[in-house]
Amino acid sequence: MSELHLTDEVLMAFADGELDEPVAAAVAGAMAQNPTVARKIVEFQQSRRLTRSVFASNLAPDVPSELRAAVAAQIEAYEAVSRAGERQEPVQTQSIRSEWRSRAYPMKMALAASVAAVAVAAGYFIGQQSQPEAGRLAQLEDPLVRQELGRLGSGSEVELPFGRLRVISTYRLADQSLCREFRLHSGSSATDAVACRADEWDVTFAAAAPVSDAEYTPSSGGDLVDSYLGNLGAGPPLAGEAEAEALAQSAR
Amino acid sequence: MMEDVETQTHLIGDPGEEPIMSKIALAEVQRAIDSLPQEQREVLALVCGEDLTYREAAEVLHVPVGTVMSRLARARKRLVEMTAAA
């Protein structure tokens, strides 16, 4: 495939679920490898959600109502044209208005909303280089963590000098790259993260959460990781021999 | 529909620290939308407010899909910049 130029329009279209395969898969791959790309996509998702909230809330009735009126007028005009052109365009006999009004809150929006929270968390994390988070990020890519990610089965954990590492699950993405979800308990916080294997296990996403009293209470960070993996097109979790085999292959 | 924004403040960021989105009220987003050129606000309203596809918005506005996308991307980048600075 020719090189994909990740313009703002392409990333926005991905965020909106408007890209067809294989371009969408290519963007998902880029998102997994590049935090900047992930962040841009998330910002587009976030702007959509915020805009939607504003238009739905009627918080500031002045401009939205004007806009709504303008939009409604345009839709009326469009529908009139549509009705006139029904014979030539049978597909559009159903009015555009009823078509979009009848759409339930689209699945992609629900996903977008959850993923927005995810990657903003990652952006926040990664963006705070001068803060303790930078140290935490370094821990996530510590050689000891990378070594354990290459051999520890899902559900297992190991004590490291700077915290307790628990490998949660293993996935193969649509582009066949291997990724692992894990949690690092360190001091008073736990970090849920995803690392994908390139030449090394590189952390592509991280979300910090305070440690709860209950040992393995699912944290919001874990939910965010699930959304993140879903957006990347992760397959079902690999377990047992399938996981061991995948790990062995990736180490070659 | 305040729920979206409220949910977001619960989800985002480390709960031990100040949530990054806490200061972004809908009114601020509204002001940011106000400041956009009319042609950008229109496409924003259709796609993000009303959930039209790019193609549907292009048909309503009588402009090419590429124009919808460039206007929409500019509008949303601007919104992110303005709300991030808030």
Side-chain angles (χ1 to χ4, degrees):
Chain A
M1 187 165 72
S2 62
E3 190 182 344
L4 178 66
H5 293 284
L6 298 175
T7 61
D8 287 336
E9 284 81 3
V10 167
L11 297 182
M12 177 185 72
F14 178 80
D16 288 343
E18 290 250 7
L19 284 186
D20 295 327
E21 301 292 352
V23 181
V27 175
M31 183 182 178
Q33 302 297 327
N34 186 338
T36 305
V37 169
R39 185 166 194 168
K40 280 188 176 181
I41 289 169
V42 160
E43 285 175 348
F44 279 119
Q45 292 172 326
Q46 187 186 17
S47 62
R48 181 172 190 138
R49 197 150 57 103
L50 289 173
T51 304
R52 187 187 179 89
S53 297
V54 166
F55 279 91
S57 69
N58 281 327
L59 246 200
D62 46 351
V63 171
S65 62
E66 281 172 19
L67 256 185
R68 276 174 177 273
V71 167
Q74 281 166 323
I75 290 165
E76 292 300 334
Y78 175 78
E79 285 181 342
V81 172
S82 248
R83 277 192 295 273
E86 263 176 24
R87 267 194 313 167
Q88 294 98 319
E89 297 177 279
V91 175
Q92 298 189 0
T93 52
Q94 182 190 13
S95 75
I96 189 170
R97 183 206 300 257
S98 61
E99 186 184 316
W100 98 67
R101 292 282 181 222
S102 65
R103 260 182 230 156
Y105 198 82
M107 194 64 141
K108 69 183 179 190
M109 282 298 295
L111 179 63
S114 55
V115 172
V118 176
V120 167
Y124 182 47
F125 196 102
I126 290 160
Q128 305 272 318
Q129 292 299 338
S130 63
Q131 302 296 317
E133 280 78 1
R136 243 186 276 164
L137 186 59
Q139 285 179 348
L140 296 175
E141 292 192 331
D142 186 281
L144 288 172
V145 171
R146 287 175 156 167
Q147 185 184 336
E148 295 300 339
L149 286 175
R151 66 184 187 196
L152 216 56
S154 293
S156 310
E157 60 180 47
V158 62
E159 289 291 344
L160 299 176
F162 43 84
R164 192 166 76 250
L165 172 73
R166 179 180 176 84
V167 179
I168 297 168
S169 49
T170 306
Y171 299 91
R172 217 176 259 296
L173 304 187
D175 69 357
Q176 294 305 302
S177 58
L178 194 66
C179 297
R180 307 200 81 188
E181 177 188 357
F182 64 100
R183 179 177 297 180
L184 187 64
H185 275 260
S186 181
S188 61
S189 73
T191 304
D192 286 304
V194 175
C196 296
R197 175 87 193 191
D199 294 333
E200 252 308 345
W201 288 102
D202 295 323
V203 173
T204 59
F205 173 80
V211 175
S212 62
D213 293 337
E215 187 84 333
Y216 298 121
T217 304
S219 68
S220 59
D223 295 340
L224 299 181
V225 167
D226 288 345
S227 301
Y228 177 76
L229 287 166
N231 205 42
L232 293 180
L238 300 176
E241 281 183 26
E243 179 181 60
E245 196 175 316
L247 290 176
Q249 277 178 0
S250 74
R252 278 175 208 153
Chain B
M1 289 297 275
M2 288 291 288
E3 191 186 342
D4 275 356
V5 167
E6 284 169 4
T7 303
Q8 175 177 282
T9 55
H10 290 314
L11 280 177
I12 287 173
D14 184 335
E17 305 183 29
E18 188 178 357
I20 56 171
M21 296 299 291
S22 67
K23 291 193 172 69
I24 299 177
L26 283 185
E28 287 178 64
V29 182
Q30 175 60 50
R31 276 198 292 280
I33 293 173
D34 281 356
S35 73
L36 296 172
Q38 172 74 19
E39 61 183 26
Q40 291 182 21
R41 268 185 289 161
E42 279 177 351
V43 74
L44 196 66
L46 288 173
V47 175
C48 298
E50 302 288 355
D51 256 354
L52 264 65
T53 63
Y54 299 164
R55 196 183 152 168
E56 289 166 347
E59 287 172 352
V60 168
L61 296 171
H62 302 294
V63 297
V65 171
T67 304
V68 164
M69 290 175 71
S70 60
R71 287 179 186 173
L72 190 60
R74 280 202 299 275
R76 287 160 76 175
K77 284 193 75 171
R78 184 84 186 114
L79 284 188
V80 167
E81 288 166 9
M82 293 181 73
T83 50

